[in-house]
Amino acid sequence: MPAINGTDYIQRIDQLRSNVWIDGKPVEGNISEHPAFKGVMKSQAALYDLQFADELKPMTYTSPLTGEPVGLSYLQPKTRDDLIKRRKMIQNWAKFSNGMMGRSPDYMNTVLMALASSADLLKGQRNCFPENVTNYYEYAREHDLSLTHTFINPQVNRSQFYFESADEPISAKVIAETEKGIVIKGAKLLATQGGITDELLVVSTAGLEADENGFAFTIPSNTKNLKFVCRDSFVGGDSTFDYPLSARYEEMDSIVIFDNVLVPWDRVFYYNNREVSNIFMNINSFSAFTIHQVVCRRIIKLEFVLGVVQSIIETINIIEYQHVQEKASEIIVALETMKALLLKSEMEAEIDELGFMRPDQTSLQIAISLFPKIYPRFTEIIHLLGASGLMAIPTGNTYQKLRKDLNHYLQAKAKNAEDRIKIFRLAWDLTMSSFGTRETLYERFFFGDPIKLSSQVYLSYDKTPYVKRVQHFLEKQE
């Protein structure tokens, strides 16, 4: 089966009947019709439809196995031109949601592509199955599967040297091996889009604990004894007038509970090998390729933020103030910096030891170290510029009932009342609603603790040539 369309996606997820819980109740019937999921599933379906849009070509490439068109985000890049093709495709999808969907299908497609591109690193390692990685990547590509993932342990004790000692597992771990596969019990965080994708990728590091804490595998979302426990929905309502972003792009986050879940052997990538589980995701091409995808999306999101800010400025005519110009220029500088770092990563890409073109990781690490600092600042800028206008925004129903009064009292210098309300409701949903504040937290911790990201930049950056230059300069003075 080649690249799918939106109808294919909706039908597949509805037929899964995954075990999804929200507000104390299991989701029954078609999950695509549930108020918490129907908006984002409709948006996700539209992304799949865009794979066939003539004006956006290429969104697919020819499968090396079947000759059929498959999603371009599965492409393993071997040239810089391949990286550019991937960037254009990713940003075409990102423009549809203006970067609001952090788990659009291309993210996990990229993850699988990266793992498959490094599968050979697992060869000869104990309890490692590189052929399973390659086979699954090809299976997902040829069936255009949608996936989510879960990496994180529950926050029981964040001490550096905490060792779990509970009688019953809290963090997911391997509790048994059978002829059919490994058995997993415990929980993992934080599966965005949990329950509305075909499958789930699980990756766990053992850290300082026992071998059974480290593993990687995939399973269908409707696997027996697998449960997705969702947080509150941030969908305020169906109205895209009132909730222009959350009604469309609220992706949902979930706790994943494994209650003696059997993972078939052909789905296991590795297990019970602490050394591999602790280093594989750091030495393979996962970081380079996934960060490239994320930076592509975040650039589109920054363009949207700039558009919202400039719309506020023009609507209420505050462009003459220098502090306003300074705030808008902060976004412009950040946007162009992110673009430059992305292009630099492609220009300085190199073939890795397995024959694939990796974008320059230093450039990308700097980009993801920068973004968690600037995005919260830009939500603050919208607050500072919108001020009371972000609270004086009636709903669509109120506007329709009191149109005559509100057209007079909520008019703006450059917009009529209805357009002004729409702009300010958009700014509110982007930065102040439950959806908006979740977006800020999500971007702040997308790749983990921002302090650790900065430390990684410092520790991995080659500073030696500059120290030598200083030493050489001082020696010349003697």
Side-chain angles (χ1 to χ4, degrees):
M1 184 178 183
I4 64 171
N5 59 33
T7 300
D8 296 328
Y9 162 72
I10 294 289
Q11 289 178 346
R12 284 202 320 212
I13 303 308
D14 280 343
Q15 290 168 4
L16 281 176
R17 297 290 188 263
S18 301
N19 190 1
V20 181
W21 285 70
I22 184 168
D23 195 25
K25 299 183 290 292
V27 174
E28 298 179 348
N30 292 335
I31 195 169
S32 66
E33 298 170 7
H34 190 284
F37 304 100
K38 64 181 180 180
V40 70
M41 287 188 68
K42 184 178 179 180
S43 296
Q44 190 112 298
L47 293 180
Y48 284 112
D49 285 337
L50 288 176
Q51 292 190 124
F52 303 96
D54 289 338
E55 66 274 18
L56 296 182
K57 287 183 177 179
M59 297 292 285
T60 61
Y61 73 108
T62 301
S63 165
L65 292 183
T66 67
E68 297 282 356
V70 293
L72 188 57
S73 50
Y74 285 106
L75 177 67
Q76 294 176 294
K78 295 185 177 180
T79 66
R80 288 189 179 88
D81 188 55
D82 286 342
L83 286 175
I84 294 170
K85 287 179 183 177
R86 287 183 53 83
R87 183 228 307 158
K88 290 180 178 179
M89 178 267 155
I90 291 163
Q91 293 192 325
N92 279 336
W93 261 4
K95 286 174 184 176
F96 174 80
S97 69
N98 289 298
M100 296 297 154
M101 293 177 66
R103 285 294 182 271
S104 54
D106 48 312
Y107 176 77
M108 286 306 300
N109 296 352
T110 299
V111 170
L112 291 181
M113 178 276 290
L115 295 180
S117 299
S118 300
D120 283 354
L121 298 176
L122 296 175
K123 285 185 175 179
Q125 303 276 8
R126 177 175 56 90
N127 295 331
C128 294
F129 310 97
E131 66 280 5
N132 288 353
V133 181
T134 302
N135 291 342
Y136 184 77
Y137 157 70
E138 292 177 348
Y139 171 74
R141 182 188 67 201
E142 300 306 322
H143 292 80
D144 210 1
L145 295 185
S146 58
L147 283 95
T148 184
H149 70 51
T150 180
F151 287 177
I152 307 170
N153 290 332
Q155 292 183 336
V156 176
N157 185 332
R158 299 301 299 276
S159 169
Q160 287 184 330
F161 300 106
Y162 165 69
F163 292 89
E164 185 180 307
S165 58
D167 293 335
E168 286 287 313
I170 300 174
S171 300
K173 62 181 62 178
V174 179
I175 62 167
E177 298 177 37
T178 73
E179 291 183 358
K180 294 182 178 180
I182 60 175
V183 180
I184 304 293
K185 186 173 180 60
K188 280 285 183 183
L189 312 177
L190 183 65
T192 300
Q193 292 199 18
I196 62 170
T197 63
D198 294 292
E199 304 227 349
L200 170 71
L201 168 68
V202 184
V203 178
S204 179
T205 57
L208 298 176
E209 298 195 84
D211 279 353
E212 59 262 28
N213 292 79
F215 46 79
F217 60 82
T218 60
I219 48 174
S221 293
N222 63 348
T223 297
K224 183 180 178 181
N225 298 331
L226 179 68
K227 186 184 301 180
F228 297 93
V229 181
C230 300
R231 57 162 168 76
D232 287 348
S233 172
F234 296 155
V235 177
D238 290 341
S239 169
T240 54
F241 183 101
D242 293 341
Y243 308 101
L245 298 176
S246 60
R248 296 178 172 102
Y249 310 124
E250 213 288 75
E251 293 185 285
M252 183 56 73
D253 306 295
S254 62
I255 304 166
V256 186
I257 297 177
F258 304 84
D259 188 8
N260 297 318
V261 170
L262 175 66
V263 181
W265 284 117
D266 64 353
R267 291 303 196 94
V268 178
F269 297 168
Y270 53 80
Y271 80 107
N272 283 17
N273 187 324
R274 185 172 62 183
E275 292 75 19
V276 166
S277 75
N278 286 344
I279 69 170
F280 179 64
M281 298 301 284
N282 293 326
I283 64 174
N284 68 25
S285 57
F286 169 82
S287 291
F289 288 131
T290 55
I291 297 174
H292 182 263
Q293 187 276 339
V294 171
V295 173
C296 288
R297 175 187 63 82
R298 283 175 161 177
I299 285 170
I300 301 302
K301 194 168 190 174
L302 285 185
E303 291 176 342
F304 186 66
V305 169
L306 178 59
V308 170
V309 166
Q310 186 61 23
S311 296
I312 292 172
I313 291 171
E314 293 176 1
T315 297
I316 57 178
N317 195 29
I318 54 176
I319 196 169
E320 65 190 76
Y321 299 106
Q322 286 189 324
H323 78 88
V324 171
Q325 298 167 13
E326 182 208 22
K327 290 177 174 64
S329 71
E330 283 186 51
I331 303 173
I332 294 170
V333 169
L335 172 60
E336 292 302 316
T337 300
M338 292 286 287
K339 287 180 179 179
L341 288 168
L342 179 62
L343 293 177
K344 179 176 179 290
S345 78
E346 294 171 356
M347 291 294 294
E348 297 184 2
E350 295 182 351
I351 296 291
D352 66 16
E353 66 272 25
L354 299 175
F356 299 103
M357 183 64 76
R358 286 196 201 184
D360 176 60
Q361 193 148 333
T362 297
S363 305
L364 295 173
Q365 283 181 322
I366 291 170
I368 65 165
S369 179
L370 172 67
F371 198 82
K373 300 177 178 68
I374 60 175
Y375 190 79
R377 168 58 179 162
F378 297 160
T379 64
E380 180 187 33
I381 286 174
I382 290 174
H383 294 168
L384 294 173
L385 298 182
S388 61
L390 292 169
M391 292 183 285
I393 41 175
T395 64
N397 286 337
T398 300
Y399 175 72
Q400 293 301 326
K401 295 291 178 62
L402 299 175
R403 179 187 290 266
K404 182 178 178 181
D405 287 337
L406 295 178
N407 278 346
H408 180 68
Y409 294 119
L410 290 184
Q411 62 180 291
K413 170 68 177 178
K415 299 287 182 182
N416 60 38
E418 182 176 1
D419 289 340
R420 176 208 174 120
I421 293 169
K422 287 181 178 178
I423 289 169
F424 276 79
R425 287 207 71 90
L426 174 60
W428 167 82
D429 207 13
L430 178 62
T431 64
M432 293 179 64
S433 68
S434 297
F435 172 86
T437 52
R438 181 266 182 191
E439 285 291 301
T440 301
L441 186 68
Y442 182 73
E443 297 292 10
R444 193 191 291 269
F445 289 100
F446 191 99
F447 283 107
D449 184 348
I451 301 299
K452 288 185 178 179
L453 296 179
S454 296
S455 294
Q456 289 170 3
V457 170
Y458 174 77
L459 294 173
S460 64
Y461 194 85
D462 184 8
K463 302 170 286 293
T464 303
Y466 314 117
V467 173
K468 287 184 176 179
R469 187 189 303 175
V470 170
Q471 292 173 340
H472 179 68
F473 173 78
L474 293 175
E475 290 168 358
K476 287 173 60 179
Q477 309 308 308
E478 294 177 357

